[in-house]
Amino acid sequence: MKALIRDIYNTAHEFVRTFGAFQLFFLRLLRYSPRVLMRRPRLVVKQVYNAGALSLVIIMVCGFFVGGVLGLQAYANLARFNAEDSVGTVVALALIKELGPVITALLFAGRAGTALSSEIGLMKATDQLSAMEMMAVNPVRRVLVPRFLGGVIAMPFLVAIFTCIGLFGAHVVAIDLLSVDVGAFWQQMQLSVDIDDIHEGVIKSFVFGVVASLFAVWEGYNAVPTAEGVGRATTRTVVISAIAVLILDFMITAVML
Amino acid sequence: MQQTRSVEIGTGLFVLFGMSALFFLTTQTTGGDGFSVSDTFEVEARFENVGSLKSRAPVSMSGVTIGRVTSVVFDPESLDAKVTMVIDAKYDKIPDDSDASILTAGLLGSQYIGLQAGGSDTYLEKGSEIYFTQSAIVLENLIGKFLVGSQSGDEE
């Protein structure tokens, strides 16, 4: 009994400690961010390339098919009410407000987040981070902050690209395959999509970018420096990012509605 | 050096691509409702009941959008709804005895104002009021009338 209580206490204690360390880590990243952006923009550019440009293929392919399947489903259900003209509206609102940011964030966590945390974890396992400290180079500033910033900068662009390609996919499916009227498709969309909807999508994509990159960097930096530890850190990055993104999505939507 | 260059080019292309995607989203999927002229004149109309007419609803004549509703307010003195709309200034030959009715696009569509040309020689201009108006058809009222009508029919 005593042991059980001690275990519970220890677990809770450990949880709170990790949580606090995480906040401090986040603050540390934020504090170094402006300086890194000003003095070492090259490092950030490299990471924008890694996180953004190299994720383009998966983002574009997935965007196309997500848009296409949305178009199919919307058409199949709206056609029952003779409201095929609203396919554009449904697809655009779903993509801009929800699916664009969320699916991109999940793909980003899977494609770029894992790469970040395994890279950093491996650097730690092979003592590269310690070596930097020995040379009086701050590894947080030199390694972590550029990777974090790269993810944060890349995410909104990735979301915008995903949404556009998704609209294109829906356009192909609805107009070329299901012969929805092209004028009605775009006009109904333009009538019902408001600039506020775009703002919501951009805010979400920015928040998700911060969250996904933050967890990736954090997990990598705190990985147990063994082969197994790096593997675990990579898995945890995806799991935690996905959970955090979906919970935050619900919260942001509830606030902005 | 060669490698950094290609990274920089890739990043630049990516960011440009992303920005043009954002630009496309903000300009092509929103607002552009086929009516965005700056040269307009304002006209007023009073309706007994506007139904669910909202500002930004189209004003159309013969099915062509020629203007847009700018405000729908309740007038506490005359106890009716005052609708202000702007009409493209190039349509300056609309007779001032034209009538305005609130119509619905499709069965469940949004409501808009339809203008029907009158026969007057004087035209609508800035600040003029459309006197002949027809309220929105409210479904509940229609059903109510129908029910009352059929009941009285039974009694006779």
Side-chain angles (χ1 to χ4, degrees):
Chain A
M1 189 61 196
K2 220 173 177 182
L4 180 73
I5 291 174
R6 199 174 56 226
D7 277 357
I8 292 175
Y9 172 77
N10 282 343
T11 316
H13 186 265
E14 185 57 23
F15 176 77
V16 172
R17 193 196 64 78
T18 316
F19 194 63
F22 180 70
Q23 312 292 334
L24 290 176
F25 178 75
F26 184 35
L27 286 182
R28 197 139 65 112
L29 286 186
L30 285 185
R31 205 183 65 207
Y32 288 136
S33 291
R35 227 184 309 172
V36 173
L37 259 184
M38 303 301 273
R39 296 226 186 120
R40 314 294 304 262
R42 286 265 161 111
L43 288 178
V44 180
V45 166
K46 179 102 200 295
Q47 296 309 322
V48 172
Y49 180 78
N50 279 344
L54 294 183
S55 305
L56 269 184
V57 174
I58 183 174
I59 292 293
M60 288 169 77
V61 173
C62 293
F64 182 83
F65 284 103
V66 167
V69 83
L70 267 181
L72 273 180
Q73 289 283 14
Y75 179 84
N77 288 292
L78 289 171
R80 282 194 277 173
F81 310 107
N82 277 337
E84 300 96 313
D85 292 349
S86 302
V87 169
T89 308
V90 172
V91 172
L93 284 178
L95 275 176
I96 290 171
K97 295 175 75 158
E98 294 295 336
L99 293 178
V102 169
I103 297 187
T104 312
L106 297 180
L107 293 173
F108 180 83
R111 162 65 186 71
T114 51
L116 283 187
S117 59
S118 56
E119 188 188 3
I120 298 171
L122 203 65
M123 281 174 139
K124 192 181 177 193
T126 51
D127 289 330
Q128 292 182 47
L129 297 185
S130 316
M132 279 184 185
E133 273 175 47
M134 294 300 288
M135 296 186 290
V137 175
N138 185 343
V140 173
R141 239 158 85 182
R142 171 81 205 192
V143 175
L144 301 190
V145 172
R147 282 166 175 73
F148 170 73
L149 285 177
V152 173
I153 294 171
M155 251 305 271
F157 294 132
L158 285 175
V159 171
I161 293 169
F162 181 95
T163 309
C164 279
I165 302 279
L167 286 178
F168 173 67
H171 181 101
V172 168
V173 166
I175 284 143
D176 299 338
L177 259 53
L178 302 168
S179 57
V180 172
D181 181 57
V182 59
F185 182 87
W186 286 100
Q187 200 224 345
Q188 293 269 337
M189 182 195 304
Q190 288 166 351
L191 276 178
S192 45
V193 178
D194 210 38
I195 193 79
D196 286 346
D197 299 325
I198 310 253
H199 288 164
E200 187 179 337
V202 171
I203 290 173
K204 277 184 179 175
S205 63
F206 178 72
V207 172
F208 296 166
V210 171
V211 168
S213 330
L214 181 61
F215 278 120
V217 173
W218 162 257
E219 287 296 341
Y221 191 57
N222 286 286
V224 180
T226 58
E228 196 195 352
V230 174
R232 273 213 192 138
T234 314
T235 313
R236 277 232 299 278
T237 303
V238 179
V239 174
I240 296 182
S241 303
I243 294 173
V245 161
L246 292 171
I247 293 177
L248 276 174
D249 181 51
F250 176 80
M251 281 162 43
I252 296 175
T253 308
V255 168
M256 298 203 62
L257 220 54
Chain B
M1 197 59 210
Q2 197 56 43
Q3 205 225 343
T4 11
R5 275 182 72 84
S6 71
V7 164
E8 279 162 6
I9 289 171
T11 313
L13 280 178
F14 165 70
V15 172
L16 272 182
F17 200 28
M19 280 183 169
S20 49
L22 261 181
F23 182 73
F24 174 83
L25 284 182
T26 45
T27 55
Q28 295 304 302
T29 65
T30 62
D33 32 22
F35 183 78
S36 52
V37 271
S38 49
D39 196 12
T40 57
F41 64 94
E42 208 166 73
V43 180
E44 247 173 47
R46 288 168 185 279
F47 292 90
E48 205 175 297
N49 188 333
V50 289
S52 61
L53 188 77
K54 293 190 183 69
S55 60
R56 294 189 69 226
V59 177
S60 77
M61 199 154 186
S62 311
V64 180
T65 301
I66 58 165
R68 192 148 299 283
V69 173
T70 49
S71 82
V72 180
V73 289
F74 177 68
D75 185 341
E77 291 192 348
S78 56
L79 298 176
D80 55 9
K82 193 176 88 178
V83 174
T84 318
M85 57 196 114
V86 291
I87 293 176
D88 189 341
K90 73 180 174 209
Y91 303 114
D92 54 356
K93 293 252 161 37
I94 302 170
D96 66 355
D97 63 342
S98 301
D99 73 82
S101 38
I102 296 179
L103 306 168
T104 309
L107 191 58
L108 299 166
S110 55
Q111 292 190 304
Y112 66 98
I113 292 185
L115 293 182
Q116 197 94 45
S120 167
D121 289 337
T122 46
Y123 305 119
L124 283 180
E125 55 193 16
K126 185 180 180 328
S128 50
E129 183 176 341
I130 300 174
Y131 292 100
F132 304 105
T133 62
Q134 196 179 357
S135 290
I137 295 171
V138 179
L139 211 55
E140 285 87 342
N141 294 350
L142 208 63
I143 294 171
K145 267 184 202 155
F146 176 71
L147 286 178
V148 172
S150 65
Q151 249 170 16
S152 59
D154 285 347
E155 281 163 12
E156 276 169 351

